[in-house]
Amino acid sequence: MRADLPTPLAARERPTARRATAVAHPNIALIKYWGKRDEHLVLPRVDSLSMTLDVFPTTTSVRLAPEAGQDVVTLDGRAADGEALRRVVDFLDLVRARAGTTHRAVVDSENTVPTGAGLASSASGFAALAVAAAAAYGLGLDATALSRLARRGSGSASRSVFGGFVVWHAGSGTPQEADLGSCAEPVPTGALDPALVVAVVDAGPKPVSSRTAMRHTVDTSPLYEPWASSSKADLAEMRTALLAGDIEAVGQIAERNALGMHATMLAARPAVRYLAPATLTVLDSVLELRRDGVPAYATMDAGPNVKVLCRRADAARVAEAVQAAVPAGTVHIAGPGPGARLSDEDGR
Ligand code: 2P0
């Protein structure tokens, strides 16, 4: 008996090894996402709006490894463990459930953004993972479905699936209905030639994850609900300002929305404070630019770094002023960037 020959059934069961690589860029919210209504489904309490950047891409490859007993995840050349590994494995479990397979994967992800520095590495990371994993497992999803899927890895990743200015709808109704409705889409804009000057004043990891901080803020901050309702009005005004190509209005709305979000955290009990002395130094330099007639407006995320919105034509001057304010910091100029996409690294 030739027991070593594969039977037709065994041959059928052997999957086609699939591999895909995707690239995604981070995004910076001008109307912030802060607070969830459903932790498991990653449903936000508020709509948010962002600009996808053309700097700091994440490249992620996913290779199905049917022979493997567990997922192998490498982040920036190091084996992932703990919370980072758990989040990737949970995400792959979701993809596997949809693909109807239990095959493990080998994931390799390279970030060019300083991880954990409040520069949204989880947005580019999970957007790239969603696109690569969906392709490797053969899900055949369109961009909207990819955005919905990326959201489950990290909320802000739903926005990085699209390029340029993007709105992420909170979704409404039952959790199941909101799960369907909560995805991102591009936002129409008028003539706008924007830049975001990114001032990295501290590239170290943040003391509290945004996931933990937003939960704590929703649970304890008396300022959370007022901010969330004013954020709705901010979003409506932001859409009008973008359509009009009015960079000053866009900047004013973004700055007040971000400062309001930080106010909710400062009022949490106990307070969560991401803003550092160097953050305020940059904010002062932005005020000074405005006094000198340069439209420049600041926004900050879950970290001390500052992103300054301005006209592309003013970006070099803004970068110079910000760099002079924080000589020890690193300053980058970003423009609007592309949505997440498969790369042709795999011969596509
Ligand atoms: C934003 N941030 O809109 C806001 C502003 C930080 C401050 O999205 O828990 O890493 O994975 O959904 O996406 C950071 O939150 O949080 C974030 P999870 P995520 O960009």
Side-chain angles (χ1 to χ4, degrees):
M1 182 170 155
R2 305 277 305 273
D4 54 337
L5 280 183
T7 63
L9 181 63
R12 260 209 316 280
E13 278 177 350
R14 188 178 308 143
T16 320
R18 288 291 315 274
R19 180 193 152 96
T21 300
V23 180
H25 289 75
N27 68 76
I28 299 299
L30 304 179
I31 302 291
K32 302 297 187 186
Y33 151 48
W34 198 248
K36 294 182 183 66
R37 65 173 271 205
D38 187 308
E39 296 267 340
H40 174 66
L41 293 172
V42 193
L43 295 174
R45 286 183 176 248
V46 290
D47 296 344
S48 56
L49 186 149
S50 58
M51 185 178 103
T52 301
L53 306 186
D54 60 358
V55 296
F56 304 140
T58 297
T59 303
T60 299
S61 69
V62 175
R63 179 173 60 80
L64 268 57
E67 70 288 352
Q70 58 189 29
D71 295 312
V72 177
V73 180
T74 305
L75 301 177
D76 293 327
R78 305 173 72 155
D81 56 11
E83 173 73 3
L85 176 64
R86 190 191 58 75
R87 281 180 70 173
V88 173
V89 172
D90 284 354
F91 187 82
L92 292 172
D93 283 343
L94 192 64
V95 173
R96 281 189 278 264
R98 293 185 189 181
T101 175
T102 55
H103 294 319
R104 303 288 133 183
V106 175
V107 175
D108 198 339
S109 186
E110 294 286 338
N111 261 313
T112 52
V113 57
T115 302
L119 284 174
S121 62
S122 71
S124 53
F126 277 102
L129 180 62
V131 171
Y137 281 94
L139 294 188
L141 302 181
D142 65 13
T144 301
L146 285 169
S147 168
R148 204 180 280 128
L149 175 65
R151 188 196 83 225
R152 298 290 297 274
S154 193
S156 53
S158 65
R159 299 187 307 237
S160 276
V161 169
F162 295 98
F165 289 90
V166 177
V167 65
W168 169 25
H169 304 288
S172 58
T174 64
Q176 288 70 26
E177 287 163 350
D179 183 24
L180 271 180
S182 188
C183 53
E185 67 174 338
V187 172
T189 65
L192 205 61
D193 195 9
L196 273 171
V197 174
V198 180
V200 181
V201 299
D202 179 356
K206 54 190 154 199
V208 188
S209 75
S210 49
R211 187 160 282 198
T212 302
M214 68 173 83
R215 185 187 304 131
H216 175 66
T217 305
V218 171
D219 289 347
T220 70
S221 175
L223 297 192
Y224 181 76
E225 290 303 337
W227 173 77
S229 60
S230 71
S231 204
K232 281 199 182 80
D234 283 350
L235 178 67
E237 284 186 45
M238 179 63 86
R239 282 179 175 278
T240 306
L242 284 171
L243 212 48
D246 183 345
I247 192 100
E248 297 187 13
V250 169
Q252 279 167 14
I253 300 162
E255 191 173 282
R256 76 182 184 216
N257 188 269
L259 289 170
M261 177 189 72
H262 283 277
T264 69
M265 296 181 221
L266 292 170
R269 297 167 185 185
V272 177
R273 183 171 62 84
Y274 287 116
L275 310 181
T279 313
L280 301 183
T281 303
V282 176
L283 290 182
D284 277 348
S285 74
V286 169
L287 274 181
E288 209 167 300
L289 280 161
R290 289 215 289 269
R291 275 198 291 266
D292 290 345
V294 180
Y297 301 88
T299 186
M300 291 80 64
D301 296 294
N305 304 312
V306 185
K307 298 90 182 183
V308 184
L309 181 78
C310 61
R311 290 196 179 100
R312 170 64 81 171
D314 293 328
R317 177 168 176 194
V318 169
E320 201 179 313
V322 167
Q323 184 71 77
V326 282
T330 316
V331 178
H332 308 263
I333 297 176
R341 64 200 181 283
L342 286 169
S343 87
D344 31 10
E345 217 167 87
D346 302 311
R348 269 182 202 79

